[in-house]
């Protein structure tokens, strides 16, 4: 009974001072690790809850027409397509880089539309809470090209590139949906390369022995994702970048490989094309809102069995990148979220 009345301090008095200190430090480490794990899993749970609410919420978003001053209701990814292609451009503080990229993009689209009557298009600029004059620049293009061809979606506050792309995809009208960066680093004409690959995969899917949901199923009703790639430029990039940046990028690519698996060498290129059917599945499932939503797309494609392809594109580095060295740490954290969130079944994939 006397032994039962011993306190921790009395036991500690019998231990060497160094051992007592070691036990105290070990206890603190265990408490800190368990606390950090609890915060991490709660963060994953909250992301899952937010996603569930967003899936069931009715969107009240609208487009503003600067010419008529009317509000145009946003379409839904569940609606039938009204255009051949939608170009989604996420923009955050892009008042300087956006005009040139938009001018080049719209010139190409107008020329192709004049040559091909079936080629109808829309450009959807998603202003991700910019604090500069990005929205003003974007609305000037709406005035010139009319709201049927150019639209601006204002998110109000900064959410992240992943959320801007997601919102743009969910409110687009195209049979094909292309995401591209606001800096114009990839030539818009390269969409033809991705388009050709989508067509090839769609024809392959249509001719497969698997039963079709409808005998009159259109070519782009197939679920297909095609990723633009800068992998062919890797040797040149390695030669020009500083050694520590190469080290960090190699490490990041290794973590991406462990998270999403092999198949796509360049997950981070901001030039990707989806059929409407694929976008409907992918962008109603996606959770990440910032850097690594691209990796999550690859992960989702594999688990939803959506065919993927990677196509080399022309790419030029444009000054003004928002990726910083600290962004790498945020990316690794998001990759861990993917691995744990989906791996433990905390995040459900809806088919």
């Amino acid at each position: 009974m006397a032994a039962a009345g011993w306190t921790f301090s009395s036991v500690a008095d019998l231990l060497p001072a160094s051992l007592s200190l070691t036990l105290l430090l070990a206890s603190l480490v265990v408490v800190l690790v368990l606390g950090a794990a609890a915060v991490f899993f709660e963060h994953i749970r909250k992301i899952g809850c937010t996603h569930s609410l967003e899936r069931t919420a009715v969107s009240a978003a609208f487009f503003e027409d600067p010419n008529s001053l009317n509000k145009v209701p946003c379409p839904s990814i569940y609606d039938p397509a009204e255009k051949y292609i939608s170009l989604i451009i996420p923009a955050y503080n892009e008042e300087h880089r956006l005009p040139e990229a938009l001018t080049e993009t719209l010139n190409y689209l107008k020329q192709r539309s004049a040559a091909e009557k079936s080629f109808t298009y829309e450009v959807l600029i998603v202003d991700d809470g910019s604090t500069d004059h990005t929205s003003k620049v974007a609305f000037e293009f709406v005035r010139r090209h009319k709201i049927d061809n150019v639209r601006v979606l204002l998110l109000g506050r900064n959410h992240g590139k992943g959320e801007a792309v997601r919102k743009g995809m969910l409110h687009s009208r195209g049979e094909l949906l292309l995401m591209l960066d606001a800096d114009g680093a990839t030539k818009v004409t390269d969409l033809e390369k991705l388009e050709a690959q989508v067509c090839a995969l769609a024809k392959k899917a249509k001719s497969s022995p698997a039963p079709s949901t409808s005998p009159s199923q259109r070519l782009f009703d197939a679920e297909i994702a095609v990723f633009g790639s800068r992998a062919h430029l890797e040797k040149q990039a390695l030669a020009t970048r500083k050694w520590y940046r190469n080290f960090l990028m190699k490490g990041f690519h290794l973590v991406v490989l462990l998270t999403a698996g092999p198949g796509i060498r360049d997950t981070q290129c901001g030039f990707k094309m989806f059929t409407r059917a694929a976008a409907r599945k992918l962008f109603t499932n996606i959770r990440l809102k910032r850097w690594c939503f691209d990796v999550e797309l690859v992960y989702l494609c594999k688990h939803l069995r959506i065919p993927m392809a990677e196509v080399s594109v022309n790419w030029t580095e444009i000054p003004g990148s928002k990726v910083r060295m600290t962004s790498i740490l945020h990316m690794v954290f998001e990759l861990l979220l993917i691995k744990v969130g989906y791996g433990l079944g905390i995040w459900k994939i809806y088919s």
Side-chain angles (χ1 to χ4, degrees), residues 98 102 125 133-143 150 152:
L98 187 60
L102 272 180
I125 305 144
H133 295 102
T134 295
S135 61
K136 184 179 178 181
V137 170
F139 276 119
E140 186 56 42
F141 279 87
V142 181
R143 286 189 185 91
V150 181
V152 179

Side-chain angles (χ1 to χ4, degrees), residues 250-271:
K250 286 289 186 182
F252 174 73
H253 289 153
L254 176 61
V255 179
V256 168
L257 183 65
L258 294 173
T259 303
I264 302 296
R265 293 173 63 195
D266 182 11
T267 58
Q268 302 309 112
C269 180
F271 202 75

Side-chain angles (χ1 to χ4, degrees), residues 147-308:
I147 198 165
D148 188 51
N149 291 323
V150 181
R151 297 182 166 191
V152 179
L153 184 61
L154 303 174
L155 298 191
R157 64 179 180 86
N158 179 250
H159 294 269
K161 181 182 178 182
E163 179 67 358
V165 171
R166 186 183 78 89
K167 285 286 178 67
M169 291 283 175
L170 295 181
H171 295 307
S172 60
R173 297 176 289 166
E175 289 186 64
L176 294 177
L177 291 82
L178 175 75
M179 57 169 276
L180 65 163
D181 290 336
D183 59 3
T186 304
K187 293 296 181 184
V188 68
T189 51
D190 277 0
L191 75 81
E192 295 175 16
K193 297 180 181 179
L194 276 63
E195 182 184 3
Q197 188 63 49
V198 169
C199 289
L201 289 173
K203 288 176 182 176
K204 183 178 179 182
K206 196 172 182 180
S207 62
S208 67
S212 172
T213 56
S214 167
S216 61
Q217 188 180 37
R218 292 177 303 176
L219 194 62
F220 295 141
D221 285 341
E223 297 166 358
I224 296 165
V226 177
F227 296 75
S229 175
R230 304 158 298 179
H232 60 294
L233 304 172
E234 185 177 8
K235 288 183 179 179
Q236 179 184 348
L238 287 172
T240 56
R241 279 199 303 251
K242 294 185 181 296
W243 68 270
Y244 58 85
R245 288 180 67 89
N246 287 330
F247 177 78
L248 288 172
M249 290 307 297
K250 286 289 186 182
F252 174 73
H253 289 153
L254 176 61
V255 179
V256 168
L257 183 65
L258 294 173
T259 303
I264 302 296
R265 293 173 63 195
D266 182 11
T267 58
Q268 302 309 112
C269 180
F271 202 75
K272 297 179 174 68
M273 183 177 284
F274 310 90
T275 59
R276 191 170 188 81
R280 187 182 301 123
K281 276 193 177 181
L282 292 171
F283 290 96
T284 53
N285 270 295
I286 198 167
R287 269 93 172 170
L288 297 184
K289 298 182 183 295
R290 292 199 176 273
W291 300 108
C292 286
F293 76 98
D294 308 79
V295 181
E296 188 181 6
L297 286 172
V298 175
Y299 186 95
L300 288 170
C301 280
K302 290 185 175 182
H303 284 262
L304 291 168
R305 298 185 177 181
I306 294 175
M308 294 182 293

